[in-house]
Structure formats: C-alpha cells, structure tokens
Amino acid sequence: LHRVARSKGRLGYLEGGAALLFETLTQRIRALGGAIHTGRAVERIMASNDRVAGLALADASVYECDRVISTVPLAVLAGLLPPAWESYAFELRRINYIGVVCVVLKLARRTSPYFWLNVNDPHAPFNGIIEYTNLNPLRNQRDHIVYVPYYVPVDHALYRAADRDVFDASWNAIKQISGRLKDDDLIEYRVFRSPYAQALCPTGFLSMLPDRQAPLHGLHLLDSVFIYPEDRTQSGLIAKAWACADAIEAQHDAAAR
C-alpha cells in the first residue's frame, strides 16, 4: 500500500527483465577483472581474530578473502557463520520468513485488462492475479503471462501439495473470474516455490533488524529485509547495493590513511 500509494498509478519495468540486468552486470564485472563462480556452494564463512578470512566451500576447497557481501536470507546466513558466532546467529534467526508458492501460466488470451487484480472471494484460493504482459507485453508474441502467488509457511499443506493440485485449483478459479477463458487457452504452466519469499514484519521490526555491517569485520548484509519499510523492488535493491559499495569503499580509504 505504501509503495502503490506513492506511485500514483505509475509502474515501471526493466525492458528485457532481470536477465538483462544479470547479463549486463556479468559482462561489466568480468571486464573489470572480476570472476564469477557458480555452482560452488558455501559451507561456512571462515574467520580469524573477528575478521572474515575466507569461505569454506562444499567441495572442500577454501576461497580466501577479507570481505563477504551476503545476499542470502538472514536465516540462511546464520547457518554459515563460524561456530564462535552462535550468539550473533541467534540474533539473525529472530527474523522469520514466509514461503511462497507461485503458479505461472502462459495463455493464448488475457484474463483481464489489468496488471494487478485483487481478489476477495471465498470461492478463490488466492487473493490476486498478476498479469505481467498487461504491463510489459512480450515482444513479437501475442501470448500472455499470468502468475498467482500464495504466501504460506513452508509447513502449510499448500506448500507441500503436488504441482498439479495447486495448478488445478488456481486454473479453475482463474477461469471463473475471467468468464471467457477455456482450457484450450492454456499453453503451459509452471509451479515454483521459495522458502524465504519475504520476511514477516511484526510491530517493532526495525528494532529487530541487525546492522548491515556485521560485528564480524568484513561481513556485509544485503538481504532484501533492509529495504523495509519500503516494498521490495529492483530499484530499491540496487540502491542498497550502491550504499553497501560506498560503505566498503569508505572503510578501504580510511584504512589506507
């Protein structure tokens, strides 16, 4: 509500989607001499004298470094801290998250003329239909991309339900709401899940948030929770990334002096 009220009906998007952003960042990082390692899971952050010393990887190798910028949920980061930092890990685990089950559909015709359609009907299992192509049409295509999110705890029956069951309930409700969609209009669908979709923000949430610079020197936190009280957006996350980079640069300059 806060974000939409301030937008005054204006919504923007990145042409080419997040893939364009990632590809551009990848090219820029490598052009500046950086390296990107994928498929190398981190088992533990290593420390020496209260400072980051490197990363212990799942393949038993060690990546030495003096700074780590963590973009994973705080609950995940807590499990990566050195054993001596259990009290700090307990502080990070105070932030609870809710999961999401997201049904994405590709349709031959649109469900409605709206980008975001709120649904408040006990006959529908969801509370909103987001038709992304009503905001950003597919290039050279007439298909329509629709998604329906369910924000539920990971122990909820819906989170554990079979993909087909989640789809069937969603598709039946979408057809009832639209009134003109038929089974032949469905091109394909996918069901996605994430256990850390969004942090739960109780009263006093700001006082629960840890500092973005951890007491373990060289560890910087960049989870989306730090956008609070604003909503999660690409532009908001990029702004926090710039602030993190500026802080690291300032610390480097101070140490050089």
Side-chain angles (χ1 to χ4, degrees):
L1 290 176
H2 175 74
R3 174 173 58 89
V4 173
R6 291 199 312 163
S7 72
K8 300 185 183 342
R10 296 189 304 272
L11 293 171
Y13 58 89
L14 179 62
E15 291 188 6
L20 175 65
L21 176 62
F22 298 151
E23 290 168 3
T24 304
L25 285 172
T26 297
Q27 293 171 5
R28 184 62 174 160
I29 289 170
R30 288 173 173 160
L32 293 173
I36 299 174
H37 303 270
T38 59
R40 303 188 68 189
V42 175
E43 289 284 350
R44 183 77 62 183
I45 297 173
M46 302 168 59
S48 176
N49 298 322
D50 293 341
R51 300 180 65 91
V52 168
L55 300 173
L57 305 181
D59 60 9
S61 63
V62 171
Y63 185 87
E64 295 183 357
C65 60
D66 55 12
R67 291 191 187 274
V68 170
I69 301 174
S70 172
T71 62
V72 300
L74 300 184
V76 175
L77 176 62
L80 301 177
L81 292 173
W85 289 83
E86 186 55 38
S87 60
Y88 181 57
F90 177 80
E91 180 182 344
L92 298 183
R93 292 191 181 102
R94 294 175 60 203
I95 307 299
N96 294 312
Y97 292 77
I98 195 168
V100 68
V101 179
C102 190
V103 182
V104 181
L105 307 98
K106 188 174 186 179
L107 305 176
R109 68 169 72 187
R110 65 185 186 179
T111 63
S112 77
Y114 310 111
F115 165 63
W116 192 297
L117 180 66
N118 289 318
V119 179
N120 184 17
D121 189 314
H123 296 92
F126 47 74
N127 57 19
I129 301 174
I130 298 89
E131 190 154 354
Y132 182 68
T133 42
N134 282 340
L135 175 68
N136 183 11
L138 296 175
R139 292 182 180 179
N140 304 318
Q141 295 188 48
R142 301 182 64 181
D143 300 330
H144 302 269
I145 301 298
V146 177
Y147 68 90
V148 174
Y150 298 87
Y151 287 91
V152 292
V154 295
D155 59 356
H156 193 280
L158 180 64
Y159 193 89
R160 302 193 302 261
D163 288 0
R164 183 72 199 193
D165 293 340
V166 178
F167 162 74
D168 285 342
S170 305
W171 180 230
N172 289 334
I174 289 172
K175 287 187 293 184
Q176 288 181 343
I177 292 169
S178 173
R180 63 173 187 165
L181 284 171
K182 307 298 180 184
D183 286 336
D184 290 344
D185 294 317
L186 176 68
I187 299 173
E188 59 181 314
Y189 77 91
R190 295 287 188 277
V191 179
F192 300 93
R193 291 172 177 79
S194 174
Y196 301 102
Q198 182 169 313
L200 296 173
C201 306
T203 302
F205 184 70
L206 278 176
S207 65
M208 297 171 58
L209 282 177
D211 193 273
R212 283 183 289 167
Q213 182 173 320
L216 176 58
H217 187 77
L219 175 60
H220 305 266
L221 314 186
L222 204 54
D223 183 14
S224 61
V225 298
F226 295 104
I227 296 180
Y228 182 88
E230 296 185 6
D231 199 10
R232 297 164 300 153
T233 60
Q234 284 184 343
S235 55
L237 287 167
I238 291 171
K240 295 299 182 183
W242 276 113
C244 180
D246 289 343
I248 292 174
E249 185 177 28
Q251 292 173 8
H252 182 271
D253 292 344
R257 291 195 296 267

